[in-house]
Amino acid sequence: MQKYDETQIQVLEGLEAVRKRPGMYIGSTGPKGLHHLVYEIVDNAIDEALAGYCTEIDVRILPGEIIEVSDNGRGIPVGIHPTEGISAATVVYTVLHAGGKFGGGGYKHAGGLHGVGSSVVNALSEWLELTVFDGTHEWYQRFERGNYHEPIKTVGDVKPGKTGTTVRFKADTEIFKESDVYDYETLLLRLREEAFLNAGLVITYSDERGGFSEDEDRFVKLHYTGGIRQFVEHIETVRGLTPLAGEVIYLAGIDPTANESDTSCEIALMWNDSYNEVVMSFANNVYTPDGGTHEVGFKNALTKAVNEYGKKFNYLKADEKFAGEDIREGLTAIVSVKLADCEFEGQTKGRLGNPEVKPFVDKLVVEKMSVFLEEHPEEAGKILEKCTGAKSAREAAKKAREAARKKSQMESMSLPGKLADCTEHDPEYSELYIVEGDSAGGSARQGRNRKFQAILSLWGKMLNVEKARIDRVYGNEKLMPIVAALGTSIGEDFDLAKLRYGKVIIMADADVDGSHIRTLLLTFFFRFMRPLIDEGHIWLAQPPLFKVSRGKKQRYAFSDEERDMYISELTAEGGKCDVQRYKGLGEMDPDQLWETTMDPERRTMVKVGLDDAIKADEVITILMGDKVGPRREFIEKNAKYVSNLDI
Ligand code: 1YM
């Protein structure tokens, strides 16, 4: 690896541009952009760790939404920059695109939103303080919105040999108008990922803002000597999955054809007893949500290796083949490549483009995976059985789908009998209430505004889709009416353009059974009609839990607190009041249901939104588990409360 010093820093542009158009540099000025500031600074420390000079990184959220990041690397060079005539460290923090990342040489993760650098953070901070330990002295410089009054200067001696960099900053609320508050979990997720990807690196992280509950421990030490192997184990544990066999499989190698052996690849993988596939890929530790040449190389090679083994050991007949998806059923894998020069492609720069990576990863995986399978016949047997099961299910699903297609053509998409449709046909103005049970369905049907509100009553046995493959959804008596009513079809046939109602509202009782049906429906939408969630079409109705009344006055309460509030309010006006607890939707008469739960002017609804696919996928698995706590937490966390919604 080429080493660079002050002379190689290239000076490109001023910082005004960053403040003028922050979105161009950090994506947004919302919460995502705010957290991005932290990643930028942490990335510099990670780069130093990748270069082999830093072993510990400390990240803190301090009171007042101040971020402090320290590392024990070499310290940013403080010497005078030959052309700028000021300290190199100052150049790094005040000149856009200064630093090795963009200058050629060094270890880069250039491209798109990644690595926009320290100067961008500085430009967008109300203030930033830089401290460098160079082995003999402590150096300090303060900036305000990217500007400084005094040059970097020594402020004291240090213990001989102590080196490192500490950066403290406060995001500028003139820029981050929406919010300057950091989310502990968001940063934790990212830092944990970094710790997994850099085996051995110690990252300490603490939230010192206070104000959260006593029993919540917001200090963590993230240290994974097993690296991405532990990443795979972590994903499986969080999801509560059971490994199919043995230990995590680990494949690694360097590209012998690349210069200075700069290109390397590590893969950790494991199968579990679920039907879901989780493959996460990274290039130079940057997550590539849209995959790219490394991921394609891995998937192709895995398919090849398993098929070859299957043929050789008679799991497959001569004319048979596993599809890639058969092999990846229940697979959790992390693919991490490191290369000298990453090219990130696509709208959001989420895909690795380097073409040379594909054949390298492909060859490595075919070779190492074949050896693994041959050397571990017992594990190989379990993996191959799993693939065989997936293959038969896929073939059965194909038949079922073809039958369903034929049937729907014949019946020209007949609507289910349990659907009380509305007269409005424009999905933008229409909504579908999915209601469990006939009595609640009856109330809803009578109480609704039939112009734009359709009601579908559910009956029959619900399929736990978490535990089922797509072939069993076709023909399920509870799910198929939903599919028919929505008009979109499911799985690979799903077509959002055919959606018949803009809002799909799940209306279930506020009790355990209600929560069960809500969860099952959400899982079904998540697995088979995912764009409905992504595009914000799924809603949860919020029926009241209590009616508090005195004479003609009545109030509906949606929580115990609200109930108590109304009780004291009405009692204060004179005398005793009556409290009715609604055990189910069926207890409300149609007018009450309309007033409290269905009237767009008065109702409160919760929009189901899942931004992060991986996290959501994890959560759905938690939801389907037996623990009630995490399930409730999910609903609370992912639901955005919207009241008095306009249509
Ligand atoms: C808390 C943030 O920025 N650490 C950090 C940054 C640098 C170095 C070490 C460093 C890099 C190199 C040589 C090199 C940077 N230096 C520069 C530049 N932590 C944090 N730690 N010496 C020190 O890459 O060769 C940019 S970043 F350009 F000045 F060399």
Side-chain angles (χ1 to χ4, degrees):
M1 199 181 288
Q2 184 186 338
K3 179 163 163 41
Y4 69 79
D5 55 27
E6 291 90 81
T7 51
Q8 277 158 291
I9 296 168
Q10 292 176 5
V11 176
L12 294 172
E13 286 179 64
L15 291 190
E16 311 83 69
V18 181
R19 289 186 60 86
K20 245 184 228 149
R21 294 218 188 125
M24 289 241 322
Y25 298 88
I26 51 162
S28 83
T29 54
K32 267 205 174 138
L34 178 76
H35 290 81
H36 199 92
L37 300 182
V38 184
Y39 308 152
E40 278 305 331
I41 300 298
V42 170
D43 278 354
N44 288 327
I46 298 269
D47 280 352
E48 188 65 356
L50 281 168
Y53 298 100
C54 159
T55 55
E56 281 177 39
I57 299 173
D58 179 55
V59 180
R60 293 162 195 244
I61 313 176
L62 302 174
E65 305 302 328
I66 292 160
I67 295 289
E68 182 184 286
V69 183
S70 314
D71 69 52
N72 67 347
R74 288 166 292 178
I76 307 181
V78 290
I80 300 293
H81 184 272
T83 58
E84 295 290 303
I86 53 172
S87 164
T90 308
V91 174
V92 169
Y93 273 82
T94 55
V95 180
L96 192 58
H97 289 187
K101 286 180 177 185
F102 297 89
Y107 198 94
K108 281 171 290 187
H109 30 109
L113 299 177
H114 304 301
V116 286
S118 322
S119 60
V120 169
V121 177
N122 198 15
L124 302 178
S125 294
E126 184 190 316
W127 56 263
L128 181 147
E129 291 173 339
L130 171 66
T131 303
V132 173
F133 306 96
D134 70 356
T136 48
H137 295 97
E138 176 177 342
W139 297 78
Y140 171 86
Q141 186 167 26
R142 180 180 164 94
F143 304 85
E144 277 159 28
R145 305 200 160 92
N147 301 305
Y148 57 93
H149 299 294
E150 290 184 58
I152 195 164
K153 59 179 183 213
T154 51
V155 290
D157 297 336
V158 291
K159 219 167 69 197
K162 176 182 163 72
T163 62
T165 306
T166 297
V167 175
R168 267 183 192 227
F169 65 92
K170 168 74 192 73
D172 192 348
T173 43
E174 282 179 14
I175 304 281
F176 299 95
K177 293 200 177 83
E178 198 178 317
S179 165
D180 67 343
V181 180
Y182 294 96
D183 180 52
Y184 173 76
E185 293 285 336
T186 301
L187 293 179
L188 174 62
L189 224 63
R190 169 71 175 235
L191 293 174
R192 179 175 284 136
E193 193 176 286
E194 298 281 13
F196 281 130
L197 291 165
N198 296 281
L201 176 66
V202 176
I203 300 181
T204 46
Y205 172 46
S206 58
D207 184 347
E208 295 164 27
R209 289 173 295 187
F212 36 86
S213 68
E214 277 290 315
D215 55 343
E216 202 182 346
D217 190 17
R218 291 201 178 182
F219 173 86
V220 284
K221 181 176 169 191
L222 307 165
H223 181 214
Y224 305 107
T225 47
I228 62 170
R229 275 165 283 210
Q230 272 176 287
F231 200 164
V232 167
E233 282 168 4
H234 174 78
I235 294 173
E236 305 256 296
T237 311
V238 169
R239 290 168 179 246
L241 300 170
T242 311
L244 201 64
E247 313 256 289
V248 176
I249 303 166
Y250 180 73
L251 319 168
I254 54 169
D255 185 355
T257 65
N259 285 339
E260 304 171 52
S261 307
D262 262 351
T263 307
S264 64
C265 171
E266 282 188 283
I267 296 171
L269 66 155
M270 182 172 217
W271 277 267
N272 58 64
D273 61 351
S274 84
Y275 301 127
N276 306 310
E277 163 187 342
V278 179
V279 175
M280 288 174 84
S281 59
F282 298 83
N284 286 359
N285 289 1
V286 177
Y287 178 45
T288 41
D290 307 321
T293 49
H294 51 344
E295 203 174 302
V296 171
F298 163 67
K299 288 181 176 173
N300 287 351
L302 188 69
T303 306
K304 245 186 277 176
V306 175
N307 267 306
E308 270 169 28
Y309 185 87
K311 282 255 157 68
K312 190 165 166 188
F313 293 91
N314 297 323
Y315 288 93
L316 290 166
K317 295 196 196 95
D319 59 338
E320 278 184 330
K321 225 174 114 191
F322 294 122
E325 63 195 88
D326 300 338
I327 293 166
R328 295 192 303 273
E329 188 187 274
L331 176 74
T332 303
I334 302 290
V335 178
S336 168
V337 295
K338 304 228 167 93
L339 42 150
D341 211 340
C342 280
E343 292 157 29
F344 294 102
E345 295 179 346
Q347 271 272 298
T348 52
K349 302 286 176 202
R351 187 174 67 232
L352 183 68
N354 303 57
E356 72 280 8
V357 174
K358 195 180 126 189
F360 158 57
V361 175
D362 188 306
K363 188 158 180 282
L364 180 130
V365 174
V366 169
E367 280 174 16
K368 308 231 160 175
M369 196 62 207
S370 304
V371 171
F372 173 85
L373 292 170
E374 301 250 357
E375 286 178 356
H376 300 79
E378 196 185 321
E379 276 151 88
K382 288 192 178 144
I383 295 166
L384 270 287
E385 265 167 44
K386 173 90 175 153
C387 299
T388 307
K391 179 169 173 285
S392 340
R394 177 173 53 84
E395 286 159 357
K398 189 160 171 254
K399 279 194 197 122
R401 194 161 59 230
E402 276 159 9
R405 272 187 198 143
K406 257 193 213 134
K407 201 170 159 220
S408 69
Q409 271 164 16
M410 271 175 353
E411 297 173 6
S412 65
M413 278 316 277
S414 67
L415 291 169
K418 290 277 175 182
L419 176 73
D421 210 356
C422 54
T423 50
E424 175 63 62
H425 287 305
D426 183 344
E428 200 176 322
Y429 302 105
S430 63
E431 35 189 64
L432 176 71
Y433 276 85
I434 301 179
V435 190
E436 165 80 354
D438 276 342
S439 75
S443 290
R445 205 167 312 188
Q446 289 171 50
R448 69 173 170 152
N449 179 333
R450 68 179 60 241
K451 182 166 180 338
F452 65 92
Q453 293 179 319
I455 312 291
L456 179 67
S457 317
L458 294 185
W459 56 284
K461 190 168 151 37
M462 183 71 192
L463 179 72
N464 185 346
V465 288
E466 174 67 16
K467 306 219 161 67
R469 294 182 178 117
I470 197 161
D471 57 315
R472 289 188 46 212
V473 174
Y474 291 104
N476 178 268
E477 59 180 4
K478 194 151 194 153
L479 295 175
M480 282 322 276
I482 301 176
V483 178
L486 294 181
T488 55
S489 194
I490 57 171
E492 36 181 276
D493 294 334
F494 182 89
D495 183 358
L496 190 61
K498 294 200 179 129
L499 181 63
R500 298 180 63 247
Y501 310 94
K503 285 200 176 69
V504 179
I505 304 159
I506 302 172
M507 185 155 73
D509 291 340
D511 59 8
V512 182
D513 289 344
S515 135
H516 190 61
I517 185 83
R518 229 181 344 258
T519 306
L520 290 166
L521 285 172
L522 281 183
T523 312
F524 170 67
F525 290 132
F526 179 80
R527 295 261 185 259
F528 300 107
M529 297 183 160
R530 177 66 178 282
L532 288 186
I533 295 184
D534 292 340
E535 302 296 321
H537 291 288
I538 306 290
W539 297 76
L540 305 178
Q542 297 289 289
L545 297 173
F546 306 97
K547 184 169 83 174
V548 183
S549 53
R550 215 187 75 76
K552 279 213 172 95
K553 273 200 177 150
Q554 42 181 277
R555 299 270 189 283
Y556 294 103
F558 294 84
S559 66
D560 292 356
E561 292 78 39
E562 229 183 319
R563 175 199 58 197
D564 297 343
M565 196 176 77
Y566 292 141
I567 291 175
S568 46
E569 191 184 306
L570 292 185
T571 315
E573 286 175 22
K576 211 165 130 31
C577 56
D578 186 49
V579 181
Q580 186 191 346
R581 184 189 164 85
Y582 292 119
K583 288 202 208 69
L585 292 162
E587 283 182 12
M588 261 181 271
D589 63 39
D591 288 343
Q592 284 176 333
L593 194 60
W594 164 256
E595 269 172 45
T596 60
T597 317
M598 298 178 74
D599 178 5
E601 298 289 323
R602 284 177 283 188
R603 73 188 173 192
T604 299
M605 296 205 303
V606 173
K607 187 183 198 163
V608 177
L610 304 169
D611 353 341
D612 181 339
I614 292 291
K615 195 153 184 233
D617 201 32
E618 270 174 26
V619 161
I620 288 289
T621 310
I622 294 172
L623 282 175
M624 301 317 301
D626 304 320
K627 298 195 192 83
V628 178
R631 201 180 314 176
R632 188 175 39 231
E633 215 173 280
F634 162 79
I635 305 259
E636 282 164 6
K637 263 198 190 156
N638 290 277
K640 299 179 187 92
Y641 288 80
V642 183
S643 39
N644 296 331
L645 207 97
D646 289 323
I647 296 190

